[in-house]
């Protein structure tokens, strides 16, 4: 029901794809006597979607042993692609909340974990390329519909500016035809937006499936994780 309501709220709104990049270079983490991390990863997450950094050691400070840093010798860039929606009369796109989570990795086996993560990333990139190709095709169709809509809408406004008693029968028929065509265009555009939304949902499900498969393959390598959220 929530998904249906979300789609209804997006009817008539403009959908655009954005790519965001997070670059990790240095992270300061303050801990307690009861908890100090071994190795940390930074996870960029929304619902079931997760983009994880590679694990790095946490080094305690000299003056304060409970405050330490994680340093990336080479900045690590993590990318996400997000569909954002905007009302035609609004200046800004609607928000989508993503969260950065720090996870402590214990008893880590570097080689196996690295291979698992590499496999996960390669499969994810392959799926992302296929999805991006489909999304670009839908966006191109959407732009064509918007251009057609603007031309017909301009002509219709000119028709509506004429008083009904001054219109010829041909003009009245043309006015009705324009209205019918505009309704068809709106329906087609809404269908494209629904397709974009469905593709994004499918992307989240595929990422969740890959993540679940990765966890299953880890088996006995599964780690006990402790989490803290960036403030």
């Amino acid at each position: 029901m929530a998904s249906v309501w979300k789609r209804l709220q997006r009817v008539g709104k403009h959908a655009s794809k954005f790519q965001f990049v997070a670059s990790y270079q240095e992270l300061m983490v303050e801990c307690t006597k009861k908890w100090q991390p071994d190795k940390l990863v930074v996870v960029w997450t929304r619902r079931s979607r997760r983009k994880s950094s590679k694990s790095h050691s946490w080094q305690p400070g000299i003056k304060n042993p409970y405050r330490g840093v994680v340093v990336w010798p080479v900045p690590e860039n993590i990318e996400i692609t997000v569909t954002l929606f905007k009302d035609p009369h609004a200046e800004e796109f609607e928000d989508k909340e993503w969260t950065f989570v720090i996870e402590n990795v214990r008893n880590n086996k570097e080689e196996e974990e690295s291979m698992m993560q590499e496999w996960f990333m390669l499969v994810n990139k392959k799926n992302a390329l296929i999805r991006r190709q489909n999304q670009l095709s839908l966006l191109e169709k959407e732009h064509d519909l918007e251009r057609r809509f603007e031309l017909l809408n301009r002509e219709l406004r000119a028709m509506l500016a004429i008083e009904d008693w001054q219109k010829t029968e041909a003009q009245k028929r043309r006015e009705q035809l324009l209205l019918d065509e505009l309704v068809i265009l709106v329906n087609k555009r809404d269908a494209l937006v629904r397709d974009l939304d469905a593709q994004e949902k499918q992307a989240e499900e595929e990422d969740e499936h890959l993540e679940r498969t990765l966890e299953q393959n880890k088996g006995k390598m599964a780690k006990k994780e402790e989490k803290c959220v960036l403030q």
Side-chain angles (χ1 to χ4, degrees):
M1 185 66 182
S3 178
V4 174
W5 175 243
K6 184 185 295 184
R7 289 198 296 270
L8 289 174
Q9 288 180 314
R10 291 175 177 174
V11 170
K13 293 183 179 180
H14 178 69
S16 296
K17 286 287 179 181
F18 291 89
Q19 189 173 59
F20 299 93
V21 180
S23 183
Y24 304 133
Q25 302 179 39
E26 183 175 310
L27 174 67
M28 179 174 289
V29 180
E30 186 166 348
C31 308
T32 64
K33 269 187 178 181
K34 294 182 179 180
W35 179 79
Q36 293 92 44
D38 298 322
K39 290 192 174 183
L40 297 176
V41 295
V42 180
V43 181
W44 203 1
T45 179
R46 170 180 164 80
R47 296 177 183 170
S48 61
R49 296 183 66 182
R50 288 168 53 93
K51 295 289 185 177
S52 179
S53 70
K54 295 179 181 178
S55 60
H56 289 274
S57 298
W58 177 81
Q59 301 295 332
I62 297 176
K63 293 183 178 180
N64 185 350
Y66 302 124
R67 176 182 291 181
V69 295
V70 177
V71 178
W72 281 259
V74 178
E76 182 178 358
N77 295 329
I78 303 294
E79 299 180 357
I80 61 169
T81 301
V82 181
T83 302
L84 296 180
F85 294 85
K86 182 168 75 81
D87 188 281
H89 305 293
E91 294 183 359
E92 298 181 353
F93 285 87
E94 296 176 356
D95 293 335
K96 278 193 177 179
E97 183 177 341
W98 284 72
T99 304
F100 289 99
V101 177
I102 304 171
E103 296 183 356
N104 180 33
V105 181
R106 294 186 182 276
N107 302 320
N108 187 33
K109 295 182 179 180
E110 288 291 340
E111 185 176 354
E112 290 87 346
E113 175 64 14
S114 177
M115 291 177 65
M116 285 288 188
Q117 292 292 343
E118 185 176 356
W119 170 80
F120 176 79
M121 291 173 62
L122 287 173
V123 174
N124 204 37
K125 284 183 178 180
K126 174 188 174 184
N127 291 340
L129 287 172
I130 295 173
R131 292 196 298 262
R132 183 57 177 164
Q133 184 177 7
N134 293 334
Q135 289 161 357
L136 287 173
S137 176
L138 289 175
L139 287 172
E140 184 178 2
K141 292 178 181 178
E142 182 185 18
H143 292 157
D144 289 340
L145 289 175
E146 287 176 347
R147 287 193 294 268
R148 177 66 176 163
F149 181 89
E150 181 60 31
L151 290 173
L152 294 179
N153 195 36
R154 193 180 305 164
E155 185 179 351
L156 179 61
R157 286 198 300 267
M159 285 283 187
L160 294 174
I162 304 173
E163 296 291 340
D164 285 342
W165 63 272
Q166 291 180 311
K167 295 175 185 176
T168 64
E169 288 300 319
Q171 288 176 320
K172 291 179 180 179
R173 287 194 299 272
R174 179 57 179 169
E175 181 179 317
Q176 185 59 47
L177 180 61
L178 288 171
L179 285 170
D180 293 341
E181 288 192 30
L182 286 172
V183 170
I184 292 173
L185 288 177
V186 168
N187 290 336
K188 285 184 177 180
R189 186 187 178 280
D190 289 346
L192 287 176
V193 172
R194 287 195 297 271
D195 287 343
L196 283 169
D197 190 37
Q199 285 191 7
E200 183 176 1
K201 182 179 179 182
Q202 181 183 0
E204 293 181 356
E205 291 175 349
E206 289 176 353
D207 290 343
E208 183 179 2
H209 175 70
L210 285 172
E211 183 70 17
R212 189 164 56 248
T213 302
L214 181 61
E215 290 299 324
Q216 290 173 352
N217 288 338
K218 286 180 182 179
K220 293 183 179 180
M221 292 170 53
K223 309 172 186 71
K224 181 180 178 182
E225 299 177 346
E226 295 178 52
K227 301 181 180 180
C228 55
V229 180
L230 283 175
Q231 299 296 324

